[in-house]
């Protein structure tokens, strides 16, 4: 159920029966020596589309560029400033609200988006609370697929500590499940990357020279990706139902 493949009468018809919508959001940023630049957007998109099929809920086009300033010392990364991403998310939610969508369920693929997207939701609600925006804006939820308990548990079981924090084994696997032709064998040294705090792009590259944080994505496989896909879609479906019942 893709919004971009609907006509406006299709959407008008949908809104007579249902007012929920799924919004995939990712990032376009380096993912280490074997991970695709589009990993976060690819993961969010494949999960969101499968979720939309399962629940018969519309899915918007993927917001594929996120807040990735700390990856800018690696070529190919694109970033929005935090305030730009906040404005984009707010405008998307308010656009959906104008058409009568009441529940916006964001499927997120990138940790760096979390504080900004949550702030954007607050900005939408503040418009209602302060009387300057839509008095009854859509309810929003941000679902971070890799943090879903069953997904995190599967990653722990398969990879232990080598799952890591960025260019993780699970996300590389899931992106290869979506694009099996992208799978590749790349030797990594050290096998498990260092960990530490994140500041600006230059500091990030100094501390994490090949782009990985704490992970060993040479363990990734499209087969594992299929397992993550199945577990994540099931967990998202449950989380979605809780959201629409509570909100
Ligand atoms: Ni990622």
């Amino acid at each position: 159920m893709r919004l971009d493949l609907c006509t406006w009468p299709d959407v008008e018809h949908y809104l007579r029966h249902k007012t929920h919508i799924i919004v995939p959001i990712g990032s376009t940023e380096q993912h280490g020596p074997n991970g695709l630049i589009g990993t976060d957007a690819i993961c969010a998109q494949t999960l969101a589309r499968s979720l939309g099929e399962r629940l018969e809920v519309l899915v918007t086009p993927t917001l594929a560029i996120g807040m990735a300033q700390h990856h800018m010392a690696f070529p190919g990364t694109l970033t929005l400033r935090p305030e730009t991403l906040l404005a984009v998310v707010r405008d998307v939610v308010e656009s959906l609200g104008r058409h009568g969508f009441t529940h916006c369920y964001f499927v997120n693929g990138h940790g760096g988006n979390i504080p900004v997207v949550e702030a954007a939701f607050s900005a939408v609600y503040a418009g209602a609370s302060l009387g300057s925006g839509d008095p009854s804006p859509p309810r929003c939820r941000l679902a971070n697929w890799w943090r879903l308990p069953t997904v995190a548990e599967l990653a722990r079981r398969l990879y232990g500590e080598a799952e890591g924090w960025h260019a993780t084994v699970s996300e590389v696997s899931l992106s290869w499940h979506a694009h099996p032709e992208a799978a590749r064998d790349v030797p990594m040294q050290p096998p498990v990357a260092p960990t530490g705090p994140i500041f600006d792009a230059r500091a990030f590259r100094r501390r994490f020279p090949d782009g990985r944080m704490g992970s060993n994505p040479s363990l990734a496989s499209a087969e594992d990706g299929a397992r993550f896909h199945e577990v994540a879609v099931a967990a998202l479906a449950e989380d979605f139902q809780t959201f629409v019942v509570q909100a």
Side-chain angles (χ1 to χ4, degrees):
M1 309 262 306
R2 288 173 51 171
L3 180 68
D4 61 342
L5 301 181
C6 287
T7 61
W8 72 259
D10 293 338
V11 180
E12 194 168 77
H13 178 82
Y14 175 90
L15 281 163
R16 276 191 220 120
H17 305 276
K18 230 177 232 186
T19 54
H20 307 151
I21 194 157
I22 296 165
V23 184
I25 182 166
S27 183
T28 298
E29 64 182 47
Q30 70 83 15
H31 271 77
N34 69 347
L36 300 173
I37 297 283
T39 298
D40 293 346
I42 291 165
C43 290
Q45 178 166 286
T46 186
L47 296 177
R49 287 185 179 170
S50 297
L51 182 68
E53 290 296 324
R54 178 181 296 208
L55 301 174
E56 297 187 340
V57 169
L58 270 181
V59 182
T60 70
T62 302
L63 305 179
I65 302 177
M67 213 301 291
Q69 62 81 17
H70 47 294
H71 296 297
M72 280 299 295
F74 295 90
T77 299
L78 306 177
T79 191
L80 300 179
R81 288 179 170 79
E83 59 270 33
T84 313
L85 178 61
L86 191 152
V88 168
V89 170
R90 182 180 177 181
D91 285 356
V92 167
V93 171
E94 292 186 347
S95 297
L96 292 167
R98 290 288 290 179
H99 299 309
F101 288 96
T102 59
H103 292 73
C104 301
Y105 187 80
F106 281 68
V107 175
N108 181 34
H110 174 50
N113 289 342
I114 296 171
V116 181
V117 175
E118 295 285 5
F121 296 166
S122 293
V124 170
Y125 305 144
S129 303
L130 298 170
S132 57
D134 180 351
S136 163
R139 305 276 204 262
C140 299
R141 181 171 176 90
L142 183 66
N144 304 299
W145 72 267
W146 69 99
R147 288 189 180 176
L148 295 162
T150 49
V151 173
E153 169 56 30
L154 178 60
R156 218 173 11 251
R157 206 166 63 235
L158 291 175
Y159 317 123
E161 290 297 304
E163 161 69 353
W165 300 99
H166 177 68
T168 62
V169 195
S170 62
E171 66 178 337
V172 172
S173 294
L174 181 55
S175 71
W176 288 356
H177 169 61
H179 290 277
E181 75 283 1
R184 68 197 75 187
D185 213 2
V186 179
M188 295 189 202
Q189 220 29 262
V192 174
T195 58
I198 297 174
F199 299 102
D200 63 84
R202 214 147 31 132
F204 187 101
R205 184 153 182 171
R206 226 179 5 245
R207 196 183 293 265
F208 311 108
D210 70 4
R212 299 174 292 145
M213 293 178 70
S215 64
N216 179 7
S218 64
L219 302 172
S221 71
E223 293 72 27
D224 284 1
R227 295 174 69 185
F228 281 106
H229 187 272
E230 190 187 329
V231 169
V233 172
L236 287 167
E238 209 172 299
D239 186 62
F240 179 94
Q241 300 298 359
T242 306
F243 165 58
V244 298
V245 167
Q246 288 179 341

